[in-house]
Amino acid sequence: MGDITTEQPIIEIRNLSKHFDDFEALRDITLDVHRSEVLCLIGPSGSGKSTLLRCINFLEAYDGGEVRLEGELIGWKSAGAPPRKPLSGEALRRQRQHIGMVFQQFNLWPHLTALENVAEALIHVKGLPKAEAMTKARAALAKVNLSDKEANFPANLSGGQQQRVAIARAIAMEPSVMLFDEPTSALDPELVGEVLGVMKQMAAEGMTMVVVTHEMGFAAHVADRVAFLEGGRLVTCAPPADIFGREPDDPRVNAFLKTYRERNVV
Amino acid sequence: MELDLFVRYGPALLSGFGVTILCWIVGSLGGLVLGFALACLYRFGPRPLRWLIQAYVEVIRGTPFMIQLFILYFGGPHFGLLLTPVQAGIASFIIYGSPYFAEIFRSGFNAIPKGQIEAARCVGLSEGRILFRIILPQMLVPTTAPLTNFFIILTKETAILSVVTVPELLYETQTMASETFTFVEPFLVLSLFYWLMVIGTSWLGDKVERRVTRHLRRA
Ligand SMILES: Nc1ncnc2c1ncn2[C@@H]1O[C@H](COP(=O)(O)OP(=O)(O)OP(=O)(O)O)[C@@H](O)[C@H]1O
Ligand SMILES: [Mg+2]
C-alpha cells in the first residue's frame, strides 16, 4: 500500500457525530479507510464502536459530519449542517449494496437454507437470473468452505458455520467494503479460528475491511491500522505495532490493553 | 328418519352449504387480508393512523356481529349502500373478523429479531420484499395455531347471516324444519356440515404449521 497517501480513500469519515436523544455516542470522528486496508476498531464496551460501524451503512442515521463511500455521501441528500433530508429508500439501498456487513449474532434468515440466504439478494436486489445467482451463491459458499452445507437450515449449522454463511451472503454481493461487528464474540472458543481464518484470507485477497473486535491477536497480526475509541471519541489510529507496543503513546490505550497483556493475548 | 325427506330437501341443503362455504371462505380470507394490512399499518404507519386502527379494533371487537350485520344491511341503504344479503353478509364478515386477525398478526411481528431485518436492509432488500420474504413466513410460526382457531370459530358465525335471509345452511335447515315439522334430521345434517368444515380447517392448519416450522426441525 505504497500509494496510500495519493489514492482517494474508499471510506472518508469527517467530523462524524451521533446522538441518542441527549446522549452523545460519537463525537467529531474523522477517519479514512483506504482500498484493501484492514482497519480494526477496539475500545471499551459502550465506547461507540458498533455505532460508528452502523453509521457507515446508515443503519444509524448520523446527525453531524459526513460519511462518504468512494466520494459519495452516505444516507443524506446533501452535506452541510442539519437538518438535512435523508436519501430515498431506493438510493439508500443502492448505496448499501456496496457495503457488506457481518453481525455478532449472524442474523441469518432461519427459514431459508444456507444457499437461499446467500442467493436472496443476488436475485432480488442485483436482479440476476436464478441460475446465475445460484452459481454465484455456490461460489461464495465455497470461499467460506461450506459447499457441502448449502442445503442446511441455520438451525442445523454450528455457530462458526452460520457466521461463515453470513460472510458468504455479504461477499456474494461483491461489496467495496466489508464491516464486521464482533464477528467471533458469540462463538465458542474452538469455533473462533475458522471464522478468523476466512477473514484473514479475505484480507489477503485485498478486501477492504473494518472490523470491530476483541480479538487482539487478529488486530495485531492482520490489521493495517488499529483505531482506539473511548467515550465516543477516536483516541488514536495507528499501525498495530504502535498500539500494541510496550509503550503506546496514549495512557488510555495502555490501560485498556493491560488486561489483555496480563492474559498474554498480545 | 324419512329418507325421502333428504331427497326432497337435499338440493336446498347442499346449496345452503355452498353459500355458507362461500361466505365463510371469502369473508374470512378477506378479514385475514384486511387484518394483515391493519397490522402492517399499525406497525409501520404514522402515529395518528395507529390511534385510528386501535379505535377501529376496539369498536368492532366491542360490538356483536349481528349488530354489525344489521347496520350494514338495513342501515346501508340510508347512505346509498344497497347490498344483496350475500354481499352484506360477506362484507360484514370481513369487517367483523379483521380486528381479530390484526391482533394475531400484531403479536406475530414481535417474534422476528430486529437483527434479521437489519441484515436484510444491509444487502439492499426492499421493505416490501423484507415483509413478504423475511417477516411473513416466520410470523406464521407462532400465528398459524391461533389463525386456524379463529377460522374454526368463524365457520359457526356464518349461521348469523340467516337473519338477513342469506340462503345459507342454517336458513335452509330452518326452512326444511318448518315445512316438514322435523327437527332431528335437519339439525343432524347441519351439524355434520359444520363438522366437515371444522375438520377440514384443522387438517389444513396442521399442514400449514408443519410447512412453516420445517426449518426448526433438527436434521
Ligand atoms: N439505540 C440506542 N439508543 C440509545 N443509546 C444507544 C443506542 N445504541 C447505542 N447506545 C449507546 O451508545 C453508546 C455506544 O454504544 P455502542 O453499541 O456503539 O458501543 P460499543 O463500543 O459497540 O460497545 P460493546 O463493546 O459493548 O458492543 C452506549 O453507551 C450505548 O448505550
Ligand atoms: Mg458493539
Side-chain angles (χ1 to χ4, degrees), chain A residues 54 93 111 120 124 155-156, chain B residues 116 118 124 129 133 218-219:
Chain A
R54 293 163 59 84
R93 285 199 291 280
H111 59 301
E120 174 65 22
H124 294 280
N156 292 319
Chain B
Q116 282 185 35
E118 287 186 345
R129 185 75 194 162
R133 176 68 162 165
R218 294 208 145 250

Side-chain angles (χ1 to χ4, degrees), chain A residues 2-207:
Chain A
D3 51 9
I4 221 171
T5 43
T6 54
E7 202 187 340
Q8 186 197 28
I10 287 197
I11 300 175
E12 296 161 278
I13 299 169
R14 293 281 171 278
N15 310 107
L16 179 73
S17 68
K18 170 69 189 169
H19 294 252
F20 293 109
D21 298 321
D22 287 341
F23 178 75
E24 187 176 47
L26 293 175
R27 178 171 191 174
D28 201 23
I29 307 266
T30 293
L31 189 63
D32 286 342
V33 185
H34 294 86
R35 194 172 301 280
S36 295
E37 187 179 28
V38 177
L39 175 76
C40 280
L41 297 178
I42 64 171
S45 181
S47 57
K49 307 180 294 292
S50 298
T51 305
L52 174 55
L53 209 61
R54 293 163 59 84
C55 283
I56 296 177
N57 62 4
F58 216 65
L59 278 182
E60 301 289 354
Y62 54 94
D63 34 47
E66 299 173 12
V67 176
R68 288 180 187 277
L69 179 74
E70 299 182 300
E72 191 179 320
L73 187 70
I74 294 287
W76 301 108
K77 275 190 178 144
S78 60
R84 36 191 177 176
K85 287 201 174 71
L87 285 176
S88 69
E90 200 181 326
L92 184 58
R93 285 199 291 280
R94 190 177 45 72
Q95 291 185 336
R96 280 180 175 156
Q97 285 178 52
H98 301 290
I99 309 171
M101 183 151 189
V102 172
F103 302 83
Q104 182 175 349
Q105 298 299 337
F106 329 136
N107 294 339
L108 292 181
W109 305 307
H111 59 301
L112 304 183
T113 64
L115 186 65
E116 288 168 340
N117 264 278
V118 180
E120 174 65 22
L122 294 175
I123 300 171
H124 294 280
V125 178
K126 287 214 165 193
L128 298 184
K130 197 159 178 215
E132 194 184 336
M134 290 303 165
T135 309
K136 277 213 158 162
R138 290 204 168 91
L141 282 175
K143 259 201 141 40
V144 298
N145 309 317
L146 281 176
S147 293
D148 53 332
K149 301 286 182 192
E150 64 168 54
N152 284 42
F153 287 110
N156 292 319
L157 293 170
S158 73
Q161 291 168 339
Q162 288 187 54
Q163 191 61 299
R164 285 186 284 146
V165 173
I167 292 174
R169 175 173 68 180
I171 59 176
M173 297 295 285
E174 298 170 338
S176 346
V177 50
M178 285 278 297
L179 312 176
F180 295 83
D181 193 355
E182 302 198 33
T184 59
S185 295
L187 297 177
D188 292 338
E190 74 269 23
L191 301 179
V192 169
E194 65 189 52
V195 171
L196 291 183
V198 165
M199 291 169 64
K200 273 182 204 164
Q201 189 196 330
M202 289 168 70
E205 287 170 5
M207 176 61 81

